[in-house]
């Protein structure tokens, strides 16, 4: 399940987590109408976040991949929840580690 947040750094406000892009657009529009008279303010951000509330765009590639796998595994049990259960994080680490070992094994066999 995808999670989106609208963040306005100058106003120091963050919307609640929404699960649809239409709801994200509505959050931004409501903020602009209520506080800025409909004008589009500078320094606003909207994007996808993980279950811990971290922006995927701000994470490194390996950490973002781990977070996406962990989020997918966590959503199997509790799609609307927050936080990463230990089992999901451990399974994502095991999956990434085994994929790296497989690639390393194939490369060493080819050379």
């Amino acid at each position: 399940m995808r999670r989106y947040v609208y963040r306005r750094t100058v106003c120091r406000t963050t919307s609640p987590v929404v699960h649809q892009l239409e709801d994200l657009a509505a959050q931004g529009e409501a903020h602009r109408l209520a506080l800025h008279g409909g004008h589009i303010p500078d320094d606003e951000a909207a994007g996808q976040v993980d279950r811990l509330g971290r922006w995927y765009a701000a994470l490194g590639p390996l950490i973002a991949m781990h977070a996406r796998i962990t989020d997918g595994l966590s959503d199997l049990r509790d799609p609307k929840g927050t936080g990463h259960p230990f089992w999901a994080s451990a399974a994502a680490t095991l999956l990434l580690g085994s994929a790296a070992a497989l690639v390393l094994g194939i490369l060493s066999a080819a050379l």
Side-chain angles (χ1 to χ4, degrees):
M1 171 146 316
R2 298 181 188 269
R3 293 162 184 82
Y4 301 97
V5 171
Y6 173 81
R7 173 83 177 132
R8 183 78 178 97
T9 55
V10 173
C11 297
R12 314 263 313 150
T13 60
T14 302
S15 73
V17 174
V18 295
H19 299 285
Q20 301 293 326
L21 281 174
E22 296 82 22
D23 297 337
L24 179 66
Q27 290 284 337
E29 189 65 28
H31 174 81
R32 283 186 223 109
L33 287 174
L35 296 176
H36 303 288
H39 295 252
I40 298 175
D42 295 337
D43 200 25
E44 69 177 1
Q48 194 173 4
V49 295
D50 69 350
R51 289 174 67 103
L52 299 177
R54 300 177 298 182
W55 296 87
Y56 280 121
L59 299 175
L62 186 62
I63 297 171
M65 188 181 309
H66 183 272
R68 286 192 187 274
I69 294 169
T70 306
D71 287 349
L73 292 172
S74 299
D75 287 344
L76 293 175
R77 281 213 179 136
D78 184 16
K80 300 266 184 177
T82 60
H84 289 155
F86 177 73
W87 68 268
S89 183
T93 303
L94 181 65
L95 183 67
L96 287 174
S98 59
L102 179 66
V103 168
L104 185 61
I106 290 172
L107 286 176
S108 64
L111 297 176

